[in-house]
């Protein structure tokens, strides 16, 4: 697989707190004497009308306030994302075109993450397109201790294109689709009802969550700033651009240390890390499936000539140390199955931890909890080791195999009291995650009589 990507030793990633700034914050530019051109409301509006887009770019005072922010108050942030865009936008444009999606959707990732592939929000949203775990998983983005596909520029963009297209099909309107991407379709439907069933973003604007009311105006303002950067003297120095290079992909399913590959191919370790942002620990795990590692195209011949030696060395270096960390780091999900616990009256973290034979510190890490405080009805992610069972809790009625085979596909017919956990253990060779993936389940809820693919 040949891909056009870019390298930068300094600019490709920044801390997550640098990726987005509030429109209400004040930025003090270090370039006191930089020329900042003036532009009137009418000039901005006229310029915006010249951009040919499928998504409406309506201009109003709310949008202008964000244009002023990106072109005046925080110009250095805008220059930073302009520099990053030369790396990411060609990737976005190719994928959006393949899915027959509007090209201007590429600006949405600027609003979401500041084009930081490893950006993480307070709500545990991750990557260029800020997927939370469940939404990402429903669009095929794999997450474990080693790998987070939400950080992969190609996989996450494909997932975003599919998700936004589904939202557009749901609402029949691009602006509402973008609003739903931010706050969820349920909140958009609620705003539509509260507005008297109006169907345009600016008509339901007062009824949307506060963050979403700023979301579309930021999108429009970023589209303006990128298209009229020169008119606002947002000109980058040569060193601020990211340059393209060809890359190739190697597929591995054994433990592979990225730093060892970098050393043996004479590639800068930080550059190889930047080309593979989804690989969180500098290595891919031993697995039954293949993982992709991107390397500079001009190093592929060297790798092919010395493939056995390089991969053998990369398969041994640091393996024991990293695998030890995988099993013992607080919050590790390595080798575990995920279930969701709904907090009931009388629950405390210590009790829940004892029930599932996990540590309180793990539960806090898995759920980004800053304290031991939980509330009734709250959903907690719990990652269980294979074979673990709820300790001290009444054991549910064992699941009885209710197996059907149709055209070679094996199904389980759900019985009253069945749970995904019990079904997975009854059939032995299938995990909860596999059952949910094979049946396109977005939660652990199942109903009696439902036919579940199990093999």
């Amino acid at each position: 697989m040949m891909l056009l990507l870019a390298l930068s030793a300094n600019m490709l990633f920044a801390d997550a707190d640098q990726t987005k700034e509030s429109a209400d914050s004040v930025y003090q530019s270090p370039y006191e004497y930089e020329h900042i051109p003036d532009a009137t409301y009418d000039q901005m509006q006229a310029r915006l009308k010249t951009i040919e887009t499928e998504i409406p770019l309506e201009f109003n005072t709310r949008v202008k306030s964000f244009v002023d922010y990106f072109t005046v108050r925080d110009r250095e942030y805008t220059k930073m994302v302009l520099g990053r865009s030369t790396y990411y936008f060609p990737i976005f444009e190719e994928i959006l075109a393949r899915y027959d999606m509007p090209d201007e959707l590429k600006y949405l990732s600027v609003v979401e993450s500041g084009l930081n592939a490893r950006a993480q929000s307070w709500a545990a949203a991750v990557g260029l397109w800020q997927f939370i775990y469940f939404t990402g998983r429903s669009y095929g983005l794999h997450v474990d201790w080693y790998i987070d596909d939400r950080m992969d520029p190609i996989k996450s963009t494909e997932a975003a294109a599919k998700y936004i297209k589904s939202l557009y099909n749901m609402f029949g309107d691009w602006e509402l689709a973008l609003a739903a991407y931010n706050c969820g379709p349920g909140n958009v439907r609620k705003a539509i009802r509260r507005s008297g069933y109006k169907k345009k973003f600016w008509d339901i604007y007062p009824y949307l969550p506060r963050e979403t009311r700023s979301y579309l105006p930021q999108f429009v303002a970023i589209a303006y700033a990128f298209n009229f950067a020169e008119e606002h003297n947002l000109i980058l120095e040569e060193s601020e651009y990211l340059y393209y290079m060809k890359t190739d992909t190697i597929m591995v399913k054994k433990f592979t240390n990225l730093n060892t590959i970098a050393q043996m191919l004479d590639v800068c370790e930080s550059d190889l890390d930047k080309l593979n942002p989804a690989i969180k620990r500098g290595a891919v795990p031993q697995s039954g499936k293949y993982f992709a590692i991107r390397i500079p195209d001009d190093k592929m011949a060297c790798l092919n000539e010395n493939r056995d030696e390089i991969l053998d060395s990369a398969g041994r270096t640091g393996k024991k140390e990293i695998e030890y960390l995988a099993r013992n780091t607080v919050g590790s999900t390595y080798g575990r199955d995920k279930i969701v616990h709904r907090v009931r009256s009388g629950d405390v973290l210590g009790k829940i931890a004892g029930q599932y034979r996990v540590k309180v510190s793990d539960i806090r890490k898995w759920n980004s909890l800053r304290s031991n405080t939980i509330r009734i009805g709250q959903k907690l992610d719990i990652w269980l080791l294979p074979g673990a069972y709820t300790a001290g809790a009444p054991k549910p009625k064992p699941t009885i195999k209710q197996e059907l085979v149709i055209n070679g596909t094996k199904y389980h017919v759900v019985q009253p009291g069945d749970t995904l956990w019990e079904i997975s253990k009854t059939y032995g060779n299938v995990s909860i995650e596999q059952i949910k993936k094979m049946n396109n389940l977005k939660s652990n809820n199942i109903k009696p009589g439902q036919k579940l693919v199990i093999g």
Side-chain angles (χ1 to χ4, degrees):
M1 179 188 299
M2 300 297 295
L3 299 167
L4 281 178
L5 293 175
L7 286 175
S8 167
N10 303 314
M11 297 177 53
L12 187 50
F13 300 111
D15 292 337
D17 61 0
Q18 293 177 315
T19 60
K20 289 194 285 187
E21 297 282 354
S22 165
D24 298 322
S25 66
V26 177
Y27 178 81
Q28 298 294 334
S29 173
Y31 302 96
E32 185 177 353
Y33 301 106
E34 181 184 24
H35 174 58
I36 302 177
D38 291 327
T40 66
Y41 181 99
D42 290 339
Q43 285 175 321
M44 292 180 184
Q45 186 175 45
R47 288 171 180 169
L48 202 57
K49 288 181 179 179
T50 66
I51 306 175
E52 295 184 8
T53 62
E54 189 174 345
I55 300 174
L57 299 178
E58 184 172 333
F59 191 75
N60 52 37
T61 55
R62 185 66 170 145
V63 173
K64 185 181 182 300
S65 69
F66 281 107
V67 171
D68 290 340
Y69 175 76
F70 290 122
T71 61
V72 179
R73 295 169 60 193
D74 203 349
R75 294 169 59 81
E76 298 313 308
Y77 171 79
T78 306
K79 286 183 179 182
M80 178 189 70
V81 293
L82 279 165
R84 291 176 177 178
S85 72
T86 61
Y87 176 95
Y88 288 114
F89 276 12
I91 299 172
F92 297 167
E93 288 161 1
E94 187 275 327
I95 293 172
L96 291 170
R98 186 172 1 120
Y99 284 90
D100 194 27
M101 299 286 281
D103 181 79
E104 57 269 25
L105 284 172
K106 62 193 178 189
Y107 302 121
L108 197 66
S109 183
V110 180
V111 179
E112 284 289 338
S113 66
L115 300 181
N116 180 354
R118 286 178 171 157
Q120 298 189 43
S121 76
W122 63 269
V126 172
L128 291 163
W129 299 93
Q130 290 290 280
F131 277 102
I132 61 172
Y133 175 82
F134 286 107
T135 306
R137 187 182 64 185
S138 67
Y139 284 91
L141 299 180
H142 173 79
V143 178
D144 62 25
W145 191 81
Y146 282 94
I147 305 292
D148 193 334
D149 284 341
R150 296 174 296 175
M151 298 180 185
D152 185 286
I154 295 171
K155 291 181 180 180
S156 66
T157 303
E158 289 177 338
K162 293 174 185 177
Y163 183 36
I164 297 170
K165 176 168 278 191
S166 74
L167 294 171
Y168 175 74
N169 292 336
M170 190 180 299
F171 292 101
D173 181 277
W174 285 115
E175 292 177 314
L176 294 186
L178 297 190
Y181 190 86
N182 177 252
C183 67
N187 281 319
V188 173
R189 291 193 189 98
K190 184 190 295 183
I192 289 173
R193 288 196 303 271
R194 293 176 63 194
S195 72
Y197 293 92
K198 295 176 181 177
K199 298 292 181 69
K200 292 296 180 182
F201 176 84
W202 293 105
D203 292 333
I204 68 171
Y205 176 88
Y207 306 100
L208 289 166
R210 180 179 179 182
E211 179 185 335
T212 308
R213 293 200 297 269
S214 297
Y215 190 71
L216 188 68
Q218 285 187 68
F219 171 77
V220 177
I222 285 292
Y224 172 92
F226 271 63
N227 280 274
F228 299 102
E230 187 172 347
E231 285 80 353
H232 288 270
N233 196 31
L234 292 167
I235 309 301
L236 303 184
E237 299 293 335
E238 186 73 10
S239 61
E240 294 179 291
Y241 285 95
L242 303 181
Y243 295 98
Y244 293 100
M245 66 173 294
K246 289 183 178 181
T247 69
D248 208 338
T249 303
I250 60 173
M251 306 300 294
V252 299
K253 61 178 180 179
K254 294 183 178 181
F255 177 88
T256 306
N257 190 308
L258 247 62
N259 285 348
T260 302
I261 288 181
Q263 292 164 10
M264 298 187 75
L265 291 178
D266 193 25
V267 176
C268 178
E269 292 177 6
S270 63
D271 285 344
L272 195 61
D273 178 63
K274 292 179 178 73
L275 285 177
N276 297 276
I279 300 175
K280 300 188 293 183
R281 313 292 174 177
V284 297
Q286 181 93 14
S287 176
K289 67 176 184 178
Y290 283 97
F291 291 98
I293 297 176
R294 297 187 186 104
I295 65 172
D297 180 60
D298 59 5
K299 300 295 181 179
M300 198 64 188
C302 176
L303 184 137
N304 286 333
E305 290 172 8
N306 305 278
R307 189 180 188 90
D308 290 343
E309 178 187 354
I310 292 174
L311 293 184
D312 179 66
S313 181
R316 288 183 287 104
T317 308
K319 183 177 181 179
K320 291 182 179 180
E321 293 81 358
I322 292 178
E323 288 186 344
Y324 175 83
L325 289 175
R327 288 179 172 84
N328 294 281
T329 301
V330 172
S332 173
T333 59
Y334 180 67
R336 294 172 179 259
D337 288 326
K338 182 176 181 178
I339 65 168
V340 177
H341 174 89
R342 186 183 291 274
V343 177
R344 296 182 289 272
S345 177
D347 277 353
V348 294
L349 286 188
K351 176 183 176 182
I352 296 169
Q355 179 179 338
Y356 292 103
R357 298 177 184 171
V358 297
K359 298 176 181 177
V360 169
S361 57
D362 285 334
I363 297 177
R364 290 182 58 173
K365 186 71 173 179
W366 291 328
N367 295 278
S368 301
L369 300 178
R370 296 181 181 180
S371 71
N372 289 350
T373 302
I374 52 177
R375 63 182 185 279
I376 296 174
Q378 183 176 356
K379 293 180 179 180
L380 297 176
D381 295 341
I382 308 291
W383 291 81
L384 301 178
L385 288 168
Y389 192 75
T390 306
K395 195 169 183 177
K397 182 180 178 181
T399 294
I400 300 173
K401 281 192 177 183
Q402 297 289 333
E403 189 177 311
L404 289 177
V405 179
I406 303 175
N407 295 328
T409 301
K410 187 186 298 184
Y411 295 85
H412 171 79
V413 181
V414 177
Q415 303 299 301
D418 279 359
T419 65
L420 289 184
W421 176 256
E422 286 298 314
I423 293 170
S424 72
K425 298 311 166 191
T426 298
Y427 289 91
N429 61 346
V430 60
S431 69
I432 294 173
E433 292 302 311
Q434 288 171 326
I435 294 174
K436 293 175 74 171
K437 185 174 182 180
M438 288 189 291
N439 293 278
N440 295 319
L441 299 178
K442 295 183 179 180
S443 72
N444 289 350
N445 297 328
I446 53 178
K447 299 177 181 178
Q450 186 176 356
K451 294 184 180 67
L452 296 178
V453 178
I454 54 172

